[in-house]
Amino acid sequence: MAIEFPCRYCQAIIRVPDSAKGGKGRCPKCAMRITVPSKSQPLHTEAPQQVELFKQEDEPVTLQAAEDEPDTDGPIVFAEAPPELTHSEQQFPPPSETVSDRLGKLPVETPPRARAITRRPEKKKKPNPLAKGIGFTLLAVALIAAGIYAFSLSMSTKITGRVSAQTAESLDLPPVVIRKSHFKLPSEFVDEALSQLEQNPVPLNSQMMQIRLKGSTEGLAVSLDAGEQARFYRVELDELPTLKKYLSHQLLNLEEKRFSQITTSATAFLETYSKVIAKETSAQSITVFRDSMAIPALVQGLGFELVAQHARTLYRCVYQDREGGYYFLLPPGVTDFKIVGQTHADGQAPVPLEIEVHVDGSISPLPSLQKPDTENSPPTDSDEKKAPSEKLTSE
């Protein structure tokens, strides 16, 4: 007796011998894995498609075991008569061909293999030379700005105070020598010009001052005396605390500025003097060197920047001694005046100073006025190589 049952997937009616009950195989129509029940199962009322398991009698068809699990019982062989129901549209393979050979293996979708996520090593970025250059530029600008700010702070504090002054009608002040090394000309030319100036000194006189330029073996000697309408007024300023603090930071800069002007003007003076001797220009062209060369040579760094203010008139500082005295030539009879920082042609006033001065006596004889003032001469090239502290101490 045969067992009939429908395929649970495609509902095709399958008929197998009793000996196949409990066996496993694949449906001959849809190739899905099925299990043979122990007895026949109810069939649908409609005539479903039947699958004939045998083409000829006595030739068994092997029901293929499921591919996804091993068949422990081996292949199922049906030796009984083939089923009576046939599928009208399906041609079955010859007896020697199994159902699985005809259907082939069903495609099995396998999940994609997970790809290993590998992290590429980050490439080290090469430094950008342009960005590096911009960084250095910004740093330099910041440093310059900081310097300017610090300088402005030091300049914003105005130096004020009140001091006394002494006066004298005339003084025998030691001359100051501009050494040969400051004349940037051939040595033969300098020696010849200084020799002529030694024999024929050049006077630069006015109603307020008398200056004489005389050549010597050391260089050009500059001497000073009061004019007919002026008197000497001597003031000591170095003891003012705020001024001492200012000079500790700025004196070297002031002295370098004065030195540069003297070197430039002294060279131009010898050239102009030679043209006057050769009658190539007038003697009047030498007078400009009183303010540009002679007076800067008679003072030092701070005196180069100071002027006395009296009755809306400014009078330059014309001399400095080693005792800290600053000399001004003002009209006789002045009892009070101010000392302020000089404003240059470019509008700059490097020294923020305003000192009230009261005249209360006469100038006493000073040791430095009894001998030539070689210490007040502009520094030579060898002096420039000294440490700033040594240079300032000698002054």
Side-chain angles (χ1 to χ4, degrees):
M1 186 175 178
I3 300 175
E4 291 183 354
F5 63 95
C7 174
R8 59 183 296 186
Y9 298 100
C10 65
Q11 302 301 319
I13 298 174
I14 302 174
R15 180 180 296 167
V16 296
D18 288 339
S19 60
K21 63 181 178 180
K24 296 180 180 180
R26 290 190 176 275
C27 174
K29 181 180 178 182
C30 65
M32 297 299 290
R33 183 173 58 84
I34 59 175
T35 302
V36 178
S38 58
K39 59 181 181 180
S40 297
Q41 294 183 354
L43 304 177
H44 295 282
T45 57
E46 297 181 357
Q49 295 179 345
Q50 296 182 353
V51 178
E52 185 179 357
L53 296 181
F54 296 97
K55 187 68 176 180
Q56 298 178 1
E57 293 182 357
D58 301 330
E59 293 183 6
V61 176
T62 302
L63 190 63
Q64 182 72 26
E67 295 180 3
D68 52 353
E69 70 178 43
D71 187 5
T72 57
D73 298 333
I76 303 173
V77 180
F78 304 105
E80 296 184 4
E84 297 178 357
L85 298 178
T86 61
H87 196 286
S88 60
E89 298 179 358
Q90 182 175 356
Q91 295 181 357
F92 291 93
S96 62
E97 184 178 2
T98 63
V99 175
S100 61
D101 292 334
R102 183 180 65 81
L103 296 176
K105 293 184 178 181
L106 295 178
V108 179
E109 294 183 1
T110 57
R113 300 178 65 181
R115 297 178 62 182
I117 300 176
T118 58
R119 185 175 182 180
R120 295 182 180 179
E122 296 182 358
K123 295 183 179 179
K124 294 184 177 180
K125 295 183 179 180
K126 296 182 179 180
N128 190 341
L130 179 59
K132 189 175 181 180
I134 293 175
F136 280 122
T137 302
L138 293 176
L139 178 61
V141 171
L143 291 176
I144 293 173
I148 294 175
Y149 178 71
F151 179 75
S152 64
L153 287 179
S154 65
M155 296 293 291
S156 60
T157 304
K158 199 167 188 178
I159 302 168
T160 60
R162 185 174 180 84
V163 298
S164 60
Q166 294 76 42
T167 183
E169 183 176 350
S170 180
L171 293 172
D172 187 14
L173 298 174
V176 175
V177 177
I178 301 176
R179 298 184 178 94
K180 289 182 179 181
S181 59
H182 297 290
F183 301 97
K184 305 305 179 182
L185 296 168
S187 58
E188 297 82 2
F189 182 89
V190 173
D191 291 340
E192 177 64 24
L194 291 176
S195 177
Q196 293 178 356
L197 283 166
E198 186 176 9
Q199 298 175 7
N200 301 291
V202 173
L204 299 175
N205 298 332
S206 68
Q207 295 180 346
M208 298 299 296
M209 69 183 69
Q210 296 178 2
I211 291 179
R212 188 175 70 161
L213 306 177
K214 183 179 180 179
S216 69
T217 56
E218 296 180 355
L220 181 64
V222 183
S223 59
L224 170 71
D225 201 354
E228 296 178 356
Q229 299 182 8
R231 290 176 63 93
F232 282 107
Y233 293 81
R234 181 181 182 273
V235 181
E236 291 188 3
L237 301 174
D238 292 348
E239 295 304 319
L240 294 173
T242 53
L243 181 59
K244 290 178 67 175
K245 183 178 180 181
Y246 172 83
L247 292 178
S248 66
H249 295 90
Q250 300 298 329
L251 182 57
L252 184 59
N253 295 332
L254 298 176
E255 184 62 14
E256 288 178 349
K257 183 178 180 181
R258 180 185 75 99
F259 170 74
S260 176
Q261 180 169 323
I262 291 174
T263 301
T264 302
S265 299
T267 302
F269 168 75
L270 284 190
E271 292 175 336
T272 304
Y273 176 76
S274 299
K275 291 180 181 180
V276 172
I277 297 300
K279 297 183 179 181
E280 296 177 0
T281 185
S282 65
Q284 189 67 23
S285 59
I286 295 180
T287 59
V288 298
F289 295 100
R290 183 195 68 178
D291 294 336
S292 64
M293 180 190 70
I295 294 179
L298 292 168
V299 296
Q300 298 176 24
L302 180 59
F304 180 68
E305 297 292 342
L306 300 183
V307 293
Q309 181 180 342
H310 173 69
R312 299 185 179 180
T313 304
L314 299 177
Y315 304 89
R316 292 186 64 175
C317 179
V318 294
Y319 197 83
Q320 274 185 253
D321 60 35
R322 284 176 289 170
E323 283 75 20
Y326 297 81
Y327 293 77
F328 299 87
L329 286 170
L330 279 70
V334 174
T335 57
D336 295 280
F337 61 93
K338 289 182 180 180
I339 298 177
V340 298
Q342 180 181 185
T343 302
H344 295 279
D346 58 1
Q348 297 295 322
V351 182
L353 180 142
E354 184 175 336
I355 304 296
E356 299 286 343
V357 181
H358 176 70
V359 181
D360 62 359
S362 299
I363 298 176
S364 302
L366 298 172
S368 63
L369 302 183
Q370 307 303 317
K371 57 183 179 179
D373 191 5
T374 57
E375 298 292 341
N376 204 31
S377 302
T380 61
D381 293 337
S382 61
D383 294 332
E384 287 294 304
K385 297 179 182 179
K386 295 180 181 179
S389 59
E390 297 175 356
K391 179 181 173 184
L392 296 178
T393 301
S394 66
E395 295 175 352

